[in-house]
């Protein structure tokens, strides 16, 4: 492990802003843990169907505040996307070539998912599994992938939105919600918020790339202002307290994004900006940086297969042990939560197996000049700096950098 950490450390450029990679890793882990904790597969008369503990145990609502971290991912995406496009223009690279590279890095790991799940669905149906169970499992895998569509669209629009002030998409969300909830407008108008809602943190990230969010005052303003606005919207405007959708509740803050989830995202972005300094100091430790860099290598694979890992554990549990607490039972009593927490290491082990099986679809084949491969017990000697790639592009060394004063460029 020490040798591996040293190799990662030596491959990292001195001006690498490791805290940005850590924020991305935190965002991905938040989504994974959030899905594992607020999504349950319940056995009912031989059929599996989804259920949420947030419906039965409202005291778990704060978990949605902790693990709904999408705004942080879009913040980092805006930062890295804007920097990447600016660098491409400086090199004289065309928009089409730049976009193809970005989309390849984002979507290449996705290609194998429909293949595997088409085979799995056909096998389940052929073996007698009822259609409702197959439909529920497939929905569990595919429903989180809306994120990739939105992120890809914002990435493609980076040249247009890189200099857009975040107040403009924020105003769109505000007007849409006023029409939707104040004037009883048709629900279809809310689809505008799918783009506008996530454009707010993406534009903040682009502003960050221009050096506009460097002061701690900005971080505190976003954190405290966003938190106060969210609390007010929940307390006096009737928005749900949960920052994720809850079955049986008429309004979801997330599908599509509401003003409450956008203000909550502003608070998260403020917290992320305030964490940059402490994260930079912590990530000077080679071992910790090696963990973050390794996760970024396969971040999209983790995102794509974490639900499959949970489903696999649930299915194996049914075949071998019958109905198990915290795995197949209705999440309607306090004892469900500690039982569920006990299953998280098992989910993680299953995810590790998926990671080993499918990570090659995310990583580009190393070249002679860009490699971390060790041959004959010795690290390859690169001519150019090695690169580690993640879900929104090249992370070593092509992500965010900082100047000698510790500020993002």
């Amino acid at each position: 492990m020490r040798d591996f950490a040293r190799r990662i450390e030596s491959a990292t450029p001195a001006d690498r802003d490791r805290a940005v990679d850590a924020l991305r890793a935190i965002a991905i882990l938040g989504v994974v843990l959030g899905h594992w904790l607020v999504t349950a597969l319940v056995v009912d008369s031989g059929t599996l169907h989804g259920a949420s503990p947030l419906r039965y145990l409202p005291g778990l609502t704060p978990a949605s505040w902790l693990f709904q971290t999408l705004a942080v991912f879009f913040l980092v995406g805006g930062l890295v996307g804007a920097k990447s496009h600016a660098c491409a223009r400086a090199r004289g690279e065309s928009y089409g070539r730049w976009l193809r590279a970005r989309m390849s890095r984002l979507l290449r790991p996705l290609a194998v998912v429909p293949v595997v799940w088409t085979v799995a669905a056909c096998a389940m149906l052929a073996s007698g599994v009822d259609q409702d169970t197959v439909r529920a499992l497939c929905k569990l895998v595919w429903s989180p992938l809306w994120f990739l569509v939105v992120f890809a669209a914002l990435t493609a629009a980076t040249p247009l939105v890189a200099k857009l002030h975040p107040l403009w998409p924020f105003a769109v969300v505000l007007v849409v919600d006023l029409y939707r909830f104040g004037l009883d407008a048709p629900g279809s108008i809310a689809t505008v918020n799918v783009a506008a809602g996530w454009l707010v943190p993406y534009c903040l990230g682009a502003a960050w790339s221009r050096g506009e969010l460097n002061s701690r005052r900005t971080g505190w303003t976003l954190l405290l202002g966003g938190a106060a606005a969210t609390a007010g919207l929940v307390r006096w405007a009737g928005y749900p307290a949960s920052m994720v959708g809850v079955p049986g509740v008429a309004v979801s803050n997330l599908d599509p994004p509401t003003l409450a989830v956008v203000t909550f995202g502003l608070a998260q972005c403020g917290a992320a900006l305030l964490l940059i300094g402490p994260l930079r100091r912590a990530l000077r430790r080679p071992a910790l940086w090696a963990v973050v860099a390794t996760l970024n290598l396969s971040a999209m694979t983790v995102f794509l297969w974490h639900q499959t890992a949970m489903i696999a554990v649930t299915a194996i549990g049914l075949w071998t042990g019958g109905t198990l607490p915290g795995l197949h039972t209705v999440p309607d009593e306090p004892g469900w939560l500690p039982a569920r927490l006990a299953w998280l290491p098992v989910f993680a082990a299953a995810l590790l197996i998926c990671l080993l099986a499918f990570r090659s679809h995310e990583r580009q084949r190393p070249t002679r000049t860009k490699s971390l491969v060790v041959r004959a017990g010795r690290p390859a000697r690169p001519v150019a700096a090695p690169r580690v790639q993640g879900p929104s592009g090249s992370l070593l060394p092509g992500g965010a950098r900082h100047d000698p004063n510790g500020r993002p460029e």
Side-chain angles (χ1 to χ4, degrees):
M1 178 63 187
R2 289 183 180 179
D3 288 343
F4 176 74
R6 280 196 293 266
R7 292 205 306 275
I8 294 291
E9 182 71 19
S10 64
T12 304
D15 60 351
R16 178 88 196 151
D17 195 344
R18 305 177 183 193
V20 173
D21 300 323
L23 288 178
R24 182 188 284 106
I26 290 169
I28 288 291
L29 289 178
V31 171
V32 170
L33 291 175
H35 283 157
W36 285 353
L37 285 173
V38 304
T39 304
L41 284 170
V42 177
V43 179
D44 183 9
S45 302
T47 299
L48 281 174
H49 64 85
S52 173
L54 297 175
R55 178 180 181 183
Y56 303 99
L57 303 170
L60 295 180
T61 296
S64 70
W65 309 340
L66 184 62
F67 295 116
Q68 203 284 81
T69 51
L70 287 173
V72 176
F73 197 97
F74 280 99
L75 173 74
V76 174
L79 168 68
V80 176
K83 277 187 170 291
S84 171
H85 182 254
C87 290
R89 289 188 63 186
R91 295 192 303 267
E93 187 175 307
S94 69
Y95 167 76
R97 182 176 178 182
W98 170 81
L99 183 62
R100 284 193 298 272
R102 303 296 291 180
M103 291 299 103
S104 174
R105 293 164 183 165
L106 179 66
L107 302 178
R108 185 172 54 242
L110 179 62
V112 72
V113 177
V115 176
V116 170
W117 267 95
T118 298
V119 173
C122 292
M124 285 187 285
L125 292 172
S127 63
V129 177
D130 65 278
Q131 293 185 7
D132 290 338
T133 294
V134 175
R135 188 178 299 112
L137 297 182
C138 290
K139 181 180 179 181
L140 203 61
V141 172
W142 288 108
S143 58
L145 301 188
W146 65 264
F147 152 79
L148 292 180
V149 178
V150 177
F151 193 84
L154 295 186
T155 299
T158 295
L160 297 177
V161 304
K163 295 184 179 181
L164 182 67
H165 197 286
L167 281 177
W168 288 108
F170 182 88
V172 171
V173 175
L174 174 61
V175 170
V176 167
D177 272 21
L178 285 175
Y179 271 93
R180 180 185 177 192
F181 300 120
L183 301 179
D184 232 4
S188 58
I189 193 175
T191 57
V192 174
N193 282 357
V194 175
W198 300 118
L199 191 54
V200 174
Y202 195 88
C203 288
L204 277 174
W208 187 9
S209 75
R210 301 191 298 271
E212 297 179 13
L213 305 181
N214 290 336
S215 70
R216 290 184 64 82
R217 178 181 296 179
T218 301
W220 281 112
T221 299
L222 288 171
L223 174 60
L224 298 179
T230 304
L233 290 169
V234 171
R235 177 65 178 84
W236 292 297
Y239 284 85
S242 173
M243 291 300 125
V244 298
V246 180
V249 176
V251 176
S252 166
N253 271 324
L254 199 57
D255 184 25
T258 63
L259 184 62
V261 88
V262 171
T263 57
F264 179 74
L266 292 177
Q268 288 183 312
C269 291
L273 293 173
L274 293 172
L275 280 174
I276 285 294
L279 285 173
R280 285 175 182 152
R281 291 190 291 272
L283 290 168
R284 292 171 187 164
R285 304 174 188 173
L288 184 57
W289 168 236
V291 172
V292 171
T294 301
L295 178 58
N296 273 277
L297 272 169
S298 303
M300 193 53 63
T301 303
V302 169
F303 174 76
L304 290 171
W305 294 99
H306 72 280
Q307 294 287 64
T308 299
M310 183 185 71
I311 291 170
V313 172
T314 303
I316 294 171
L318 275 177
W319 291 333
T320 61
T323 302
L324 300 173
L327 193 61
H328 310 113
T329 52
V330 179
D332 59 355
E333 56 183 27
W336 182 89
L337 180 59
R340 186 64 164 195
L341 291 173
W343 284 105
L344 295 188
V346 185
F347 295 162
L351 179 56
L352 179 59
I353 295 173
C354 292
L355 187 61
L356 294 174
F358 301 112
R359 64 181 178 177
S360 61
H361 295 275
E362 181 166 0
R363 303 184 186 182
Q364 285 183 328
R365 183 174 298 175
T367 66
R368 291 181 181 273
T369 59
K370 299 173 183 179
S371 176
L372 286 175
V373 175
V374 178
R375 292 188 177 92
R378 294 179 299 173
R381 186 172 59 190
V383 175
R387 297 163 71 93
V388 177
Q389 294 183 349
S392 61
S394 176
L395 303 184
L396 285 177
R401 302 168 182 265
H402 59 84
D403 63 24
N405 296 319
R407 294 182 178 181
E409 289 182 346

